[in-house]
Amino acid sequence: MNHIIAGQDTHGNDVKLDYIDHGAGKPVVLIHGWPATYKMWEYQLTALTEQGFRVVAYTRRGFGNSSKPFEGHDYDTYADDLKAVLDKLDLQDVTLVGFSMGGGEVARYMSRHGGARVSRVAFVSAVTPFLLKTTDNPEGVDRQVFDEMIERVKEDRFDFLQGFGKKFYGVGMLSNPVSEAALDWTQRMCEVADPRATVLSARAWSETDFRQDLATIQVPALVIHGGDDALVPAKVSGERMTHFVPHAEFIEYAGAPHGLFIPEKERLNRDLITFVHGGDVQKTADRY
């Protein structure tokens, strides 16, 4: 396994981030969702590399084969970890792609570190701009929804993950967009996460306000969201992104679930490739 050291924990131990670095050319950095690992990007890693890009994906602290420190499960730290990846691999002219909670890393990095080394950003099924319902964010989701989810994680994390995977991919009585094998693979990947990190990161992505972070983004931006996302509803997230990043291009995948990277892999791959090349993604989207 390859690791990047992203600082130390409170006991002086190195915090190591598991990562993969494939291909050559313009770099694309893929940031995974909750509570998965970089391996969720399997189909995108292959497609982007075959198109001549250098593709880097890493697993955030607390998950997969990365270090599992007791502390540091907040977006300032996550953004600093992303900076460590870009700096230590000396990546330039980078396209950042953040999925779900990974969109938060993209937003916070762009404000906290001035968008250094980054030329484009993409938000896929992202938790941005702000999920929690508050007095100044009435479009958000009630806190009780997140509290109940976290209680279920604490009570029986494995049972929670089984049901979560089905919602993640939009599996229902009449809908089977992924195989049982894919569901099992997803659950195994998510089970490796540290239980404490699973809970604290859920608090982070559900409660962090990214609206001011998004306002700092000046580079080309792409927002992709599934119209039937049952976990991060498009009306709360994707549809509102252009209010805070006016120049962003918003593409909705009608009828698509949260976990686009498998059931919508061909379309997602084409749109990301078009975006990194600087093309018009809307023209690609119109073909579907």
Side-chain angles (χ1 to χ4, degrees):
M1 293 183 293
N2 295 320
H3 288 103
I4 288 173
I5 296 176
Q8 295 181 323
D9 63 18
T10 54
H11 299 290
N13 300 310
D14 289 340
V15 175
K16 299 177 180 179
L17 305 180
D18 185 28
Y19 79 100
I20 193 168
D21 184 354
H22 282 177
K26 184 175 180 180
V28 179
V29 175
L30 304 175
I31 308 169
H32 68 85
W34 179 90
T37 75
Y38 79 70
K39 293 182 180 180
M40 60 152 270
W41 293 111
E42 177 170 332
Y43 294 103
Q44 290 67 50
L45 281 162
T46 300
L48 290 163
T49 302
E50 289 177 347
Q51 288 295 313
F53 299 120
R54 178 182 178 183
V55 186
V56 174
Y58 69 97
T59 297
R60 72 174 54 80
R61 62 174 61 208
F63 297 86
N65 291 319
S66 290
S67 296
K68 297 177 172 62
F70 191 75
E71 68 292 311
H73 305 292
D74 60 85
Y75 273 99
D76 282 353
T77 304
Y78 294 149
D80 292 349
D81 288 350
L82 173 54
K83 183 177 187 298
V85 172
L86 301 187
D87 287 352
K88 293 186 180 183
L89 296 179
D90 194 22
L91 302 178
Q92 301 287 350
D93 194 22
V94 176
T95 298
L96 295 179
V97 181
F99 173 82
S100 196
M101 78 168 288
E105 264 111 323
V106 174
R108 183 56 52 88
Y109 175 86
M110 295 302 286
S111 63
R112 185 171 173 85
H113 297 292
R117 300 177 180 268
V118 176
S119 60
R120 292 177 172 270
V121 293
F123 298 85
V124 181
S125 305
V127 298
T128 49
F130 185 22
L131 286 186
L132 186 65
K133 185 175 183 177
T134 62
T135 54
D136 72 338
N137 190 47
E139 302 93 341
V141 179
D142 289 334
R143 181 182 294 274
Q144 182 179 354
V145 173
F146 302 122
D147 289 344
E148 291 175 354
M149 179 192 72
I150 288 172
E151 285 306 309
R152 289 185 59 210
V153 171
K154 290 180 176 179
E155 181 179 354
D156 189 337
R157 185 166 63 97
F158 309 102
D159 183 66
F160 166 81
L161 289 173
Q162 188 173 67
F164 179 79
K166 293 178 180 179
K167 287 185 179 180
F168 192 88
Y169 293 118
V171 174
M173 291 291 293
L174 301 176
S175 174
N176 294 286
V178 297
S179 66
E180 285 292 331
L183 288 171
D184 292 343
W185 169 78
T186 301
Q187 176 143 355
R188 291 194 302 271
M189 176 170 51
C190 295
E191 285 176 350
V192 183
D194 176 70
R196 175 179 167 82
T198 301
V199 169
L200 293 183
S201 61
R203 286 295 185 197
W205 59 253
S206 64
E207 298 179 4
T208 301
D209 183 351
F210 299 104
R211 291 175 292 185
Q212 292 186 0
D213 300 294
L214 294 172
T216 68
I217 295 175
Q218 301 298 319
V219 298
L222 174 67
V223 177
I224 296 175
H225 218 99
D228 286 355
D229 190 330
L231 297 175
V232 181
K235 291 186 180 297
V236 177
S237 47
E239 292 182 13
R240 296 203 295 151
M241 284 288 285
T242 54
H243 297 169
F244 305 97
V245 190
H247 64 279
E249 187 172 11
F250 172 56
I251 306 292
E252 181 175 304
Y253 290 7
H258 185 66
L260 302 175
F261 51 88
I262 294 181
E264 298 284 342
K265 58 182 179 295
E266 292 183 3
R267 181 176 183 181
L268 178 61
N269 293 346
R270 289 185 185 182
D271 286 347
L272 290 176
I273 290 165
T274 300
F275 179 65
V276 180
H277 276 310
D280 187 341
V281 180
Q282 189 63 53
K283 290 182 179 179
T284 302
D286 287 345
R287 294 203 297 269
Y288 288 82

